[in-house]
Amino acid sequence: MPLLKVDKLTKSFGGLTAVSNVSIDINKGELVGLIGPNGAGKTTLFNLLTGVYVPSSGSIALKKNAATIELGGKKPYHVTKEGLARTFQNIRLFKDLTVMDNVRIAMHQNVKYGLVSAFLHFNKYHKEEDELKAEAERLLEIFHLSHKKMELARNLPYGEQRHLEIARALATKPSLLLLDEPAAGMNPYETAALTEIIGWIRNEFGLTILLIEHDMSLVMKICERIYVLDYGMLIASGEPNKIKKNKRVIEAYLGEDVSNA
Amino acid sequence: MRTLTKKNLLILGSILLTFALVQVLVLVGILDSFYEITIATICINIILAVSLNLVTGFTGQFSLGHAGFMSIGAYVCAIISMRIGTVGGFLLGLLAGALAATVVGILIGIPTLRLKGDYLAIATLGMAEIIRVVFLNLEITNGAAGLNGIPRYANWLWLYFFTVMAIVIINNFLKSSPGRACIAIREDEIAAESMGINTTKYKVIAFAVGAFFAGLAGGLYASYFYFLKPDLFGFMKSVDILVIVVLGGLGSLTGSVIAAILLGLITTFLQSFTAVRMIVYAVLLVVIMIFRPQGLMGSKEINDLLKFRFGKKEEKIE
Ligand SMILES: Nc1ncnc2c1ncn2[C@@H]1O[C@H](COP(=O)(O)OP(=O)(O)OP(=O)(O)O)[C@@H](O)[C@H]1O
Ligand SMILES: [Mg+2]
């Protein structure tokens, strides 16, 4: 069984069906792209996977240690505990907190000391907090942010905020990472650097990644498989080279150039 | 041992020095009993303000019911210490009062903390009113007439001890993983939940801790002023506490302490001008809020101001 199996997932908002009967599989270790025109339902699908929305119907099954866990309808923090982490299309950092705190907060679910240690700062607290800090530094290092760890997240340039969001998601120790337009607003140079980092963290952390992206240079370069959504429906799936030439995909993008990336 | 760092020794030193200073001033007679009441009020208000700041300033949950929790602590402590007239009875009463407030805090928090902003404020306001009406009608609290002759065990030493304890414990909590979870909820609830934080659980925890210390402050109040009636814990009392928190800065414990001291002193000095007292007080608040809408300290703590001295050492972790 694949790591994630989405089966006939549907989400309606009143009369609008934002995600319609979508089935996708993601295997362990894969880097999969999710593309589609504006309003196709990509972010809605992410919100369903991560528990922000409750599915109207269908199922989301995650394989975890030989067991299968149904994620549909679970609360976001519960889904994160099972190993899914995400970034947001409209950056949602803890803006008035430091870069370091943004990452440390995301480590919360793996902290072992309890409330009493929190109140009284027993040795257990100090020992684990030291480890947390060191681990956060390591993550920040990957994204070249460690020299800015004491800065407020809101003061980072846009591209670095996107990096910090990925670092924060990684801090939850996910098995499946969902990235919602990680390169949005970046220039080609920044996008190329990001593409490299995404490939690197996948190997380093043994991750499976599903990413939404409009930047075709990024998608075509690192995605092994691509799913295409349009009007909430899955219209194509397969390897990047096949998707480029797929007639329905080209039509859906209506003139947008998918082929020359 | 991490407890004996230079920084902690310095803090301990200044805590003891403050205590000694006030103690000497009292013994020498510079601070008479009139000022002692001011100091007691300030201590109690500090505990109330830092605990409300945890809920409203740090966790972002707008509560207007803090006086309700205070009254639970006050009545429970009074009733117990009137039956066990020893220091032990007083301390037992304090603990029982604080725990009773915590339990009520949890029971009320679970349903109401799902509400947001104004709705939560109204729900907590209603809860505090219900608590007040209950005390108004119970026999054991002697209804509207209130309780008189509560044994007076709370003194400067106890007040100071519990004030320091409240600040240290809440400050420790805020510098821990559960504390950061609470702050994350204030910053962005959806992001917090997506980062693995059970937001309802941590809101209830913040509410419970806030209620505990409000209850403790109530117990100290009952014992120090040895008289209680339900009217002391009305809506205006909750507003008074909120004023201290907002004035000091939402999200700054240092600010709450400074504002509690400042307002305590101002109230005392205005005591002799009864007629204009409330007007001057109100004008002062308005002026401060116009010139510093973020409160006296914003969300900064005393450490941030002293960072050039301690900052570097603290951050080194290799
Ligand atoms: N909470 C909601 N309530 C009502 N409609 C919604 C809600 N969330 C999304 N929609 C609608 O669902 C459709 C899909 O939106 P979604 O954000 O998933 O698109 P997307 O593929 O991520 O687009 P983009 O590339 O612009 O980010 C849109 O028509 C949107 O207006
Ligand atoms: Mg989107």
Side-chain angles (χ1 to χ4, degrees), chain A residues 3-250:
Chain A
L3 177 67
L4 186 79
K5 189 169 180 60
V6 175
D7 195 32
K8 302 196 188 87
L9 198 62
T10 298
K11 178 69 187 177
S12 315
F13 297 107
L16 175 87
T17 307
V19 171
S20 174
N21 214 22
V22 169
S23 299
I24 65 176
D25 288 348
I26 297 170
N27 298 309
K28 191 171 180 331
E30 264 190 314
L31 209 167
V32 178
L34 179 63
I35 65 172
N38 289 117
K42 306 180 294 295
T43 299
T44 305
L45 180 59
F46 266 29
N47 284 335
L48 288 168
L49 297 182
T50 55
V52 176
Y53 295 151
V54 179
S56 305
S57 65
S59 82
I60 306 160
L62 179 78
K63 203 177 84 178
K64 193 181 178 188
N65 311 327
T68 305
I69 300 159
E70 172 60 37
L71 296 181
K74 284 227 164 91
K75 291 237 177 194
Y77 71 87
H78 211 134
V79 173
T80 310
K81 200 152 264 165
E82 302 297 359
L84 261 70
R86 73 176 293 182
T87 63
F88 294 89
Q89 181 172 353
N90 309 310
I91 305 177
R92 295 193 86 118
L93 288 168
F94 306 119
K95 288 208 170 62
D96 288 317
L97 304 183
T98 61
V99 168
M100 173 57 100
D101 275 344
N102 268 274
V103 176
R104 273 196 296 190
I105 284 169
M107 293 173 165
H108 174 79
Q109 63 183 6
N110 295 313
V111 169
K112 287 183 279 301
Y113 68 78
L115 273 178
V116 179
S117 281
F119 291 132
L120 301 176
H121 285 196
F122 290 151
N123 275 345
K124 207 159 56 171
Y125 160 90
H126 289 294
K127 193 165 158 281
E128 233 188 308
E129 282 289 318
D130 283 354
E131 288 165 11
L132 286 186
K133 262 192 187 174
E135 202 182 323
E137 298 251 350
R138 271 198 298 277
L139 281 173
L140 290 174
E141 200 86 49
I142 295 170
F143 294 92
H144 313 294
L145 284 170
S146 39
H147 62 293
K148 294 197 171 175
K149 65 184 175 206
M150 296 320 282
E151 284 195 29
L152 296 187
R154 70 158 64 252
N155 294 335
L156 297 185
Y158 190 76
E160 288 185 351
Q161 292 196 10
R162 287 234 175 256
H163 280 183
L164 178 54
E165 257 214 335
I166 301 177
R168 184 179 68 169
L170 285 178
T172 66
K173 296 208 165 92
S175 55
L176 176 59
L177 181 63
L178 308 175
L179 304 174
D180 197 343
E181 302 199 19
M186 288 187 177
N187 63 36
Y189 172 78
E190 289 172 323
T191 303
L194 178 74
T195 310
E196 203 141 293
I197 292 182
I198 291 174
W200 190 84
I201 57 170
R202 170 174 63 151
N203 296 332
E204 183 69 16
F205 295 94
L207 285 174
T208 308
I209 298 178
L210 174 63
L211 66 85
I212 297 174
E213 193 45 73
H214 283 294
D215 189 314
M216 288 303 151
S217 71
L218 189 153
V219 174
M220 295 299 167
K221 186 156 174 216
I222 56 171
C223 293
E224 287 145 1
R225 277 194 309 130
I226 293 173
Y227 284 100
V228 189
L229 277 183
D230 191 22
Y231 293 112
M233 281 172 290
L234 205 60
I235 56 165
S237 69
E239 287 166 17
N241 286 326
K242 300 233 174 74
I243 294 292
K244 267 190 225 179
K245 294 176 201 127
N246 186 301
K247 253 187 94 185
R248 286 187 69 187
V249 176
I250 294 167

Side-chain angles (χ1 to χ4, degrees), chain A residues 92 113 119 121 125 130, chain B residues 2 172 175 177 180 188 194:
Chain A
R92 295 193 86 118
Y113 68 78
F119 291 132
H121 285 196
Y125 160 90
D130 283 354
Chain B
R2 198 69 69 83
N172 278 355
K175 301 223 154 31
S177 188
R180 287 192 294 265
D188 187 328
S194 292

